[in-house]
Amino acid sequence: MHPMLNIAVRAARVAGQIILRGFENRSDLTKETKGVNDYVTLIDKEAEQAIINKIQQSYPDHSFLGEESGETHGADTEYQWIIDPLDGTTNFIKGIPHFSVSIALLHKGRLDQAVVFDPIRSEIFTASRGQGAQLNGYRIRTTKPKDLSETVLATALPFKEKAQFGEFALSLNRIFRECGDIRRGGSAALDMAYVAAGRMDGYWERGIKVWDIAAGELLVREAGGLVTDFVGNNDPMYKGEIVAGSPRVVQSLVKHLK
């Protein structure tokens, strides 16, 4: 395992322990509202700080971009860690056991290392650029369905921008008529990890943030998949929209999303 990936895995596990303790004591949670249908808890903040502290023990000069703490610049700006300490906070608050820790490392602007950790199932998805993707140490690959009729897809409703639901519903209707079925899990990082592991055949979402998808993007690419924006461009990380899956699935989804 790459040394930086090893540190990311350790950081994700430390955060996972904090999240599990919080999940077992949700009656004591204090949540804050960041925006419309957008929540944060002290657990999110504690987990993010624990991740940063763990990484800084080995790499004190690296930079960070965290969902809760924002962007901090270290002396070594070639390396930036992108962190979502608790992807699926609403599920966490409601007691739905489906959320994750997401950590990605950019090296000179390119995705280099990725970890998505599901602390409930103790599943850790990892990827290093050019080295493939793994689940708990075993190689994973995306599926290769012949067409959308064979697929189970993942997506998310535009719950923060409900005015966009009309446009979303039109594309959803077109995709649903062709695919096998659709799921809505509530954690973008896990959706992409599941695509990488072949549990889902494809995924699309709009209104997404870079910390939600950075680790997942590398996982899918290293598992043999394709990641684009809604018009098929291959650099979606900062676009606020994403399509992921095998090349054939992505091509079919983009056709309905353009």
Side-chain angles (χ1 to χ4, degrees), residues 2 4 31 40 60 65 113 119-120 137 154 164 166 174 197 200 238:
H2 190 285
M4 292 185 185
K31 70 176 183 180
V40 63
L65 174 60
Q113 309 294 329
I120 293 291
Q164 297 179 1
R174 291 191 296 267
M200 296 289 180
Y238 298 98

Side-chain angles (χ1 to χ4, degrees), residues 2-36:
H2 190 285
M4 292 185 185
L5 181 61
N6 188 39
I7 293 300
V9 168
R10 294 181 186 180
R13 291 193 182 280
V14 170
Q17 293 173 357
I18 294 170
I19 291 166
L20 285 177
R21 288 198 299 269
F23 193 65
E24 293 170 357
N25 298 281
R26 290 189 316 284
S27 60
D28 298 328
L29 280 179
T30 301
K31 70 176 183 180
E32 302 172 12
T33 302
K34 296 194 292 183
V36 177

